[in-house]
C-alpha cells in the first residue's frame, strides 16, 4: 500500500517543532503590529497550511486574504515576472500587508509581490516565510519573519509539494535524491 511518506529521506522539522516556531512567530507579529491595520496575505498553494496555523497565533484583529501566483511561462528565472492566478479581494491602501510564504528561494516571487503591494498603496509591506533557502537567492528581499533557514536540499511537506504531492505531510522533510 502506498503511504504519504513514500520517497521521504528524513524529517527536518517535526510537527511539534513547527508548531512551537509558528507560535513564536505569531507572538512576535502580534507584538509588532498591535497598533496597525494588518492584512495577512497567504500565497497559495504552498503557504496555505502555514497561513492557517499562523493566523490562529496572531492575537489581534486582522484581515486575511489569499493570492495565487505562478511564474510567467519560463521567464521567471530571468525576469521575475509573475502571473497572478488569483488576486486579492480587498483594498490594501493605507494598510500594513504581511505576505506569508512557505519558502523563499530566488526571492523573485516576493520581490515582485512586495513591489505590487507598495504600488497599490500599502502603508508598509512585510514578509513572513516558514522556510528560507538563501543559497538559491537571485534577488535580495528583506525577510522580516522566518521560521527556519534550510540548505539546498529538496524539501516537501507542510504545504510544500514535489510533483503536486506531499503537501499533506504534517512535518517538513527532505526528499530522497533518486
Ligand atoms: C513556491 C513558493 C513561493 C515560490 C518561491 O511556489 O511557494 O511562492 O515558489 O520561489 P522564489 O523565491 O524562487 O520565487 P510554487 O511556484 O512552487 O507554487 P505553489 O506554492 O503552488 O507550490
Amino acid at each position: 500500500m502506498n503511504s504519504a511518506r513514500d520517497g521521504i529521506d528524513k524529517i527536518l522539522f517535526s510537527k511539534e517543532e513547527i508548531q512551537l516556531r509558528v507560535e513564536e512567530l505569531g507572538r512576535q507579529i502580534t507584538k509588532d503590529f498591535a497598533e496597525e491595520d494588518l492584512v495577512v496575505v497567504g500565497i497559495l498553494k504552498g503557504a496555505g497550511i502555514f497561513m492557517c496555523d499562523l493566523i490562529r497565533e496572531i492575537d489581534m484583529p486582522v484581515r486575511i486574504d489569499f493570492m495565487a501566483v505562478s511564474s510567467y511561462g519560463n521567464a521567471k528565472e530571468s525576469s521575475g515576472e509573475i502571473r497572478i492566478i488569483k488576486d486579492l479581494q480587498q483594498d490594501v491602501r493605507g494598510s500594513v500587508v504581511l505576505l506569508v510564504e512557505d519558502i523563499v528561494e530566488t526571492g523573485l516571487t516576493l520581490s515582485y509581490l512586495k513591489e505590487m503591494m507598495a504600488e497599490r498603496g500599502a502603508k508598509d509591506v512585510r514578509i513572513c516565510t516558514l522556510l528560507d533557502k538563501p543559497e538559491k537567492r537571485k534577488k535580495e528581499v528583506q525577510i522580516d519573519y522566518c521560521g527556519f533557514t534550510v540548505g539546498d536540499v529538496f524539501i516537501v511537506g507542510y504545504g510544500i509539494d514535489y510533483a503536486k504531492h506531499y503537501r499533506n505531510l504534517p512535518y517538513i522533510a527532505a526528499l530522497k535524491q533518486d
Side-chain angles (χ1 to χ4, degrees):
M1 196 173 74
N2 291 339
S3 146
R5 56 169 301 155
D6 286 352
I8 295 303
D9 183 12
K10 63 172 181 176
I11 294 176
L12 301 176
F13 304 106
S14 68
K15 188 175 167 179
E16 293 72 25
E17 284 174 290
I18 297 170
Q19 191 184 339
L20 283 175
R21 192 70 189 108
V22 172
E23 285 169 11
E24 285 172 0
L25 290 170
R27 267 199 300 275
Q28 190 62 50
I29 290 165
T30 306
K31 209 170 130 205
D32 294 351
F33 298 108
E35 306 301 322
E36 300 288 353
D37 169 26
L38 185 64
V39 186
V40 187
V41 176
I43 313 302
L44 298 171
K45 298 183 277 295
I49 291 174
F50 175 43
M51 169 82 173
C52 292
D53 284 346
L54 180 68
I55 53 177
R56 286 177 291 177
E57 301 300 335
I58 300 177
D59 188 13
M60 59 178 276
V62 292
R63 288 185 281 150
I64 67 162
D65 211 331
F66 291 91
M67 289 183 87
V69 301
S70 83
S71 52
Y72 215 136
N74 289 323
K76 181 181 173 190
E77 293 285 307
S78 49
S79 70
E81 200 176 346
I82 303 299
R83 189 156 55 104
I84 306 295
I85 312 278
K86 181 218 169 297
D87 207 337
L88 295 179
Q89 289 177 293
Q90 53 201 290
D91 195 357
V92 295
R93 188 168 300 278
S95 306
V96 175
V97 173
L98 181 67
L99 296 172
V100 177
E101 264 292 16
D102 51 332
I103 188 161
V104 181
E105 295 190 339
T106 63
L108 294 173
T109 306
L110 278 175
S111 310
Y112 186 88
L113 292 177
K114 194 171 178 179
E115 205 173 300
M116 178 185 276
M117 293 303 128
E119 277 167 11
R120 289 182 184 185
K123 179 181 166 187
D124 199 358
V125 188
R126 301 294 181 92
I127 288 172
C128 176
T129 185
L130 179 66
L131 299 173
D132 183 15
K133 202 189 265 187
E135 284 173 42
K136 287 277 189 187
R137 200 73 92 250
K138 290 191 171 165
K139 188 153 186 179
E140 267 326 301
V141 57
Q142 186 186 321
I143 295 175
D144 303 286
Y145 305 93
C146 172
F148 306 100
T149 300
V150 291
D152 191 11
V153 287
F154 216 107
I155 282 166
V156 293
Y158 196 69
I160 301 173
D161 76 316
Y162 172 68
K164 300 193 167 46
H165 287 93
Y166 300 108
R167 291 195 203 272
N168 57 325
L169 290 176
Y171 45 74
I172 293 164
L175 205 58
K176 279 184 192 148
Q177 291 297 336
D178 38 36

